[in-house]
Structures are given as C-alpha cells and as structure tokens.
C-alpha cells in the first residue's frame, strides 16, 4: 500500500500541472481582462458583478462591442484592449507592468507555477491583499457549511438508504421515495428562499437570522451562548443544503444494499441462522459501502467549496464560493488560479484518502496487485 500511495502522490504532479496549463491557456483566449476592467472604470463604463447577473449584462456586452468598433475605427495605438482609445499609452503600459502582462504568457505561467509550488499566491489585483489571507478569512464560512452539510447528509442518507433497501416495496419505501424526489427536484437556492419566507421574517415567522455567521454582539456573549448563536445562524443555510443533497446519496445507498442483499453469500448467511442485523451490518454493509466511499471525495470537495455559492449569496455568507465567483467576474486572476490550484490539489489528495479508506472498509482490496 505504501508503494501505491507514493506512486499516486507522484502522479499528482503531472495531473495538477496539466490542469493548470489548460486553464491558463483558456484564460488567454477569454474576452476581457483586468486591464479592460480598469479601463472601463477609468472611463466610467464599468458595471458591477450584480448588474452582470441581470439586465446589465446586455448593456455591458453592448458597451464592449461599441468600444471594440471604436478602437478598430480609430486605430488605437494599444490595439489590445477594448475601449482604450483616448487613454494615454503610458498608462496602459503601467497597467501591463502592474498586472504582469508586460511579459509573454509562457513566462507568466512559469513564474506563477514557481510561486505556487511554495504556496506563494501573490496579491489580489483589486483587493490590495494577499490571496492567502483572503482565502483564510473566507475559510471559516466554507468549513462551517461544508462540514455540517456533509456530516448531516451522510448521517441521514446512509441509515435511510439501508432502511429503504430492507423495506423495499413497502409503504415506507414509497412515501420516503416521494420525499426524496421532492427534495431532489427543488434546487437548494429555491428552498433557501422558501425557508427565508417562512422562518426568517419574510412573511410568516421571524425565528432565524437572515444573514451572517454570527450576531453583532457575538464577542460579548459567553462561550456557550456563542456556540448557540453560531448554530442558530447555521440552521437555515445548512437545512437548504441538506434537503437538496441527501437524495442522490440515499438512492445510491439503497441500490447498493439491494444489489448485495440478493447475492449468494447473504442467502448462505441467513441459512446458517445468523441474525438479520448481523447479516446486514456484518456482511452486507462492508461490501455495499464501497460505492458510497468512492463518491465521498467528490461530494466533500463539491459541498465544501463550490456547492454553497448561491447559499452564500442568499444568506450573505462571505465564503470561498463567493470569493471565487467575484474573482471570475472581476478577472482577478491571482485569486482564480490560486483557488483552482488549491482545490485541485485537495481533490487529488482526497482521491488517495478514498483509496486508503477502501482498504479500511474491506482489507481484501489490494491496490498493490492491480496491473
């Protein structure tokens, strides 16, 4: 197992490098950039991220199209940036030096990767702070949402899926399937809005806070009241995430157990007179859980970092999902590439953890013997 883990760790290097190369190349061909954004702000034509999500997107596209046509017609000296006509070329040059665009793409990529190897992610283009500090500031929110959601989804889905498999075809299986379909059909952000209307002062009850992770007087509270305050703020966003997240895992658990229950070794175990609980949890559980474990890394990373983007926006929770979204809108490349690098590295590491967990669940699995 040790040799296999070492090989997998070494494989992370080319995989991570390939992902960064592809994304860096895509960014080079993407329209717009930080310099275009600064030029738009100088000329008063910039539109904030909120407007881009709504009707402002069309206005921005129209403005960029007009700027591009004017640039071609006027023969702007820079020729590289939309709306740069009328801007002193020296200012454009200073912006290129400030953002590092005075160097060719290959050199920029090599410099970026050299820094990333020692986890030096540089400074944000527009926030005037180190990227690592921004990520650490947002981490508590994402940790809270990710850990609580993952924990509750697994605590609900696995027992429910097992019970549905054992009672397949019964009224319990039918009505619980209806509840699962209902939860799966409603996106988490729509359910979040419903919770706000019902329980956060929207129209009916005002039981839970609408925004933030803590109350304004959090620092003045005693330690046990701080815990309660934190949990109080987490109820609605976590509920919205769990409702939409447990359906798929529940059905996967049920189908895995149904597949194992029908196998010969289960029939043999029952014929020997073993108790149903021992057959279920002593024999079936270990084999059926392999599929669940295989999907854990992807589910964890998805919920932990990206699955809560709209939830963070709705409940004003300033986490990593919102940070990454704003970075993409504002073309803040240091944050974009740093979060991509970090999340990819974590995802690859979680795959190795998943393989190791396989062997804990079923010691018969030997990755060393795989061809």
């Amino acid at each position: 197992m040790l040799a296999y883990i070492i090989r997998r760790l070494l494989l992370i290097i080319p995989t991570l490098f390939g992902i960064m190369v592809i994304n860096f190349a895509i960014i080079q061909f993407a329209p717009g950039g930080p310099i275009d954004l600064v030029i738009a702000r100088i000329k008063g034509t910039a539109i904030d991220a909120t407007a881009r999500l709504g009707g402002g997107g069309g206005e921005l596209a129209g403005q960029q199209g007009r700027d591009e046509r004017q640039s071609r017609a006027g023969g702007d000296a820079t020729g590289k940036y939309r709306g740069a006509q009328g801007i002193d070329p020296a200012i454009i040059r200073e912006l290129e030096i400030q953002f590092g665009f005075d160097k060719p793409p290959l050199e920029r990529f090599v410099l970026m990767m050299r820094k990333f190897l020692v986890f030096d992610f540089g400074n944000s283009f527009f926030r005037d702070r180190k990227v690592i500090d921004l990520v650490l500031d947002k981490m508590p929110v994402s940790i809270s949402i990710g850990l609580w959601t993952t924990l509750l989804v697994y605590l609900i889905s696995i027992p429910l899926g097992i019970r549905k498999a054992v009672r397949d075809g019964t009224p319990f299986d039918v009505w619980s399937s209806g509840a699962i379909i209902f939860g799966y059909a409603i996106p988490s952000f729509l359910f979040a809005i419903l919770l706000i209307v019902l329980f956060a002062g929207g129209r009916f009850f005002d039981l839970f806070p609408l925004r933030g992770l803590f109350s304004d007087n959090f620092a003045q509270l005693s330690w046990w009241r701080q815990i309660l305050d934190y949990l109080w703020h987490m109820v609605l966003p976590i509920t919205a995430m769990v409702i939409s997240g447990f359906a798929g895992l529940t059905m996967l658990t049920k189908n895995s157990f149904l597949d194992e229950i029908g196998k010969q070794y289960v029939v043999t175990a029952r014929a020997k007179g073993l108790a149903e609980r021992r057959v279920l949890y002593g024999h079936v559980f270990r084999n059926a859980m392999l599929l669940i474990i295989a999907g854990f890394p992807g589910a964890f990373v998805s919920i932990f970092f990206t699955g809560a983007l709209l939830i963070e926006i709705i409940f004003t929770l300033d986490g990593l999902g919102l940070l990454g979204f704003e970075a993409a809108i504002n073309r803040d490349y240091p944050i974009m590439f740093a979060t991509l690098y970090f999340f990819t590295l974590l995802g690859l590491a979680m795959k190795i953890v998943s393989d190791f967990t396989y062997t804990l669940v079923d010691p018969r699995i030997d990755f060393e013997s795989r061809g």
Side-chain angles (χ1 to χ4, degrees):
M1 186 65 183
L2 179 60
Y4 172 77
I5 292 177
I6 293 175
R7 289 199 302 268
R8 288 293 301 272
L9 288 173
L10 293 176
L11 188 60
I12 286 178
I13 298 174
T15 304
L16 181 61
F17 181 79
I19 292 173
M20 296 301 295
V21 167
I22 293 173
N23 283 273
F24 187 86
I26 292 174
I27 288 296
Q28 305 312 306
F29 296 100
I35 295 181
D36 297 279
L37 184 61
V38 172
I39 292 173
R41 289 175 177 176
I42 291 175
K43 303 184 71 174
T45 59
I47 298 178
D48 61 24
T50 303
R52 290 176 187 235
L53 292 176
E59 180 182 346
L60 177 62
Q63 178 64 44
Q64 288 178 335
R66 290 191 296 271
D67 290 339
E68 193 170 5
R69 290 192 296 270
Q70 291 170 2
S71 178
R72 289 195 298 265
D76 185 81
T78 60
K80 294 188 293 185
Y81 307 106
R82 292 171 175 166
Q85 70 283 351
I87 302 291
D88 189 344
I91 296 178
I92 303 297
R93 180 64 178 169
E94 290 179 4
L95 290 174
E96 289 182 329
I97 295 174
Q98 176 184 343
F99 293 120
F101 289 168
D102 57 321
K103 303 178 180 66
L106 179 59
E107 184 178 351
R108 296 205 310 269
F109 178 77
V110 172
L111 291 173
M112 180 185 73
M113 292 304 299
R114 186 181 299 170
K115 292 181 179 180
F116 280 14
L117 289 175
V118 293
F119 293 93
D120 178 8
F121 300 122
N123 295 325
S124 167
F125 281 166
F126 300 108
R127 291 175 179 254
D128 196 26
R129 291 187 61 190
K130 290 184 176 181
V131 173
I132 189 65
D133 292 338
L134 287 170
V135 171
L136 292 177
D137 284 349
K138 314 301 181 184
M139 190 71 77
V141 174
S142 294
I143 288 177
S144 298
I145 297 175
L147 285 182
W148 283 116
T149 302
T150 305
L151 178 64
L152 290 176
V153 164
Y154 271 77
L155 288 178
I156 294 172
S157 299
I158 293 177
L160 180 59
I162 295 174
R163 188 169 180 83
K164 284 176 64 63
V166 173
R167 304 184 63 179
D168 183 43
T170 64
F172 170 81
D173 182 44
V174 173
W175 70 257
S176 60
S177 295
I180 289 173
I181 293 173
F182 176 79
Y184 185 77
I186 299 181
S188 58
F189 70 92
L190 286 181
F191 196 78
I193 295 174
L194 175 63
L195 291 176
I196 290 174
V197 172
L198 292 178
F199 302 112
R203 188 176 291 261
F204 295 94
F205 304 100
D206 189 7
L207 303 178
F208 297 98
L210 180 58
R211 60 183 63 216
L213 198 61
F214 307 107
S215 298
D216 294 335
N217 64 335
F218 183 80
Q220 286 74 43
L221 300 177
S222 59
W223 66 268
W224 63 271
R225 296 194 65 179
Q226 287 181 341
I227 295 176
L228 292 178
D229 181 75
Y230 161 76
L231 295 176
W232 182 47
H233 281 74
M234 283 286 97
V235 169
L236 294 188
I238 297 303
T239 300
M241 291 288 293
V242 169
I243 289 296
S244 63
F246 82 100
L249 185 60
T250 299
M251 298 309 297
L252 178 61
T253 303
K254 175 189 174 181
N255 293 333
S256 298
F257 271 78
L258 282 177
D259 184 59
E260 292 295 325
I261 288 174
K263 291 184 177 179
Q264 185 61 42
Y265 75 90
V266 177
V267 177
T268 303
R270 287 171 173 169
K272 290 180 178 180
L274 294 180
E276 185 66 21
R277 186 176 184 85
R278 184 175 177 184
V279 172
L280 191 62
Y281 291 99
H283 295 77
V284 176
F285 184 83
R286 183 173 62 182
N287 296 324
M289 285 300 293
L290 290 177
L291 283 175
I292 312 302
I293 293 172
F296 175 78
F300 176 80
V301 174
S302 176
I303 294 175
F304 197 74
F305 295 111
T306 62
L309 169 60
L310 292 176
I311 297 298
E312 290 180 7
I313 295 175
I314 292 172
F315 290 100
T316 320
L317 300 173
D318 196 7
L320 290 175
L322 187 58
L323 176 67
F325 172 76
E326 291 177 347
I329 291 295
N330 294 318
R331 305 299 193 269
D332 201 333
Y333 293 158
I335 295 179
M336 291 171 59
F337 286 115
T339 51
L340 173 66
Y341 180 87
F342 180 73
F343 297 163
T344 303
L345 185 61
L346 180 65
L348 294 172
M350 288 300 296
K351 290 292 185 182
I352 300 177
V353 174
S354 174
D355 289 347
F356 180 72
T357 310
Y358 266 127
T359 62
L360 294 180
V361 176
D362 191 348
R364 297 172 297 176
I365 295 178
D366 184 11
F367 289 102
E368 294 285 356
S369 62
R370 298 197 312 178

